Amino acid sequence: MITRLEVKNFRMLRANAVSLAPFVVLVGKNATGKSTLIGALRFVSDLVKGGVPLALANALEREAPSFPELCFDPNEALEFAVDLTIDRRRVRYEVRVGPDGSGAVQV
């Protein structure tokens, strides 16, 4: 089970962390980041399923037309961290995806 999600520089989320329980309801005003948080969870899910190429391709299809538009600050990397509990064992998954200076994206 995912117990915590940390997101930096994804869409409108500059640096956010949320603790998660088995059942969570997202409530808030329009344009406060609810859908963006779900998009961040999708990105992490795609990372685990198919790696960075799949996650980026899907995010560029669903969230934004280009990598810089996926970022709060296009000069900074996207960063995700997920804390999980698997069979009573705590695990942390972290990834940083960003520009390498030549226009390419690196992990």
Side-chain angles (χ1 to χ4, degrees), residues 4-102:
R4 182 173 176 85
L5 173 67
E6 297 174 17
V7 181
K8 291 183 182 174
N9 203 40
F10 184 74
R11 307 272 302 161
M12 68 174 295
L13 303 176
R14 181 186 305 229
N16 298 77
V18 61
S19 295
L20 301 169
F23 181 76
V24 176
V25 177
L26 295 176
V27 178
K29 294 181 180 182
N30 291 343
T32 57
K34 298 178 300 294
S35 295
T36 304
L37 182 64
I38 297 300
L41 281 168
R42 279 192 199 127
F43 192 93
V44 170
S45 174
D46 290 341
L47 280 170
V48 173
K49 289 178 191 173
V52 173
L54 176 67
L56 281 176
N58 287 345
L60 292 173
E61 183 178 309
R62 292 188 295 239
E63 306 287 338
S66 68
F67 184 80
E69 292 180 68
L70 276 177
C71 303
F72 185 89
D73 179 348
N75 298 310
E76 297 294 324
L78 301 173
E79 295 183 39
F80 300 90
V82 180
D83 293 334
L84 307 121
T85 301
I86 302 172
D87 296 329
R88 298 184 193 156
R89 205 176 84 210
R90 293 183 184 174
V91 178
R92 183 168 176 93
Y93 178 81
E94 296 180 6
V95 67
R96 185 173 195 268
V97 180
D100 69 356
S102 71

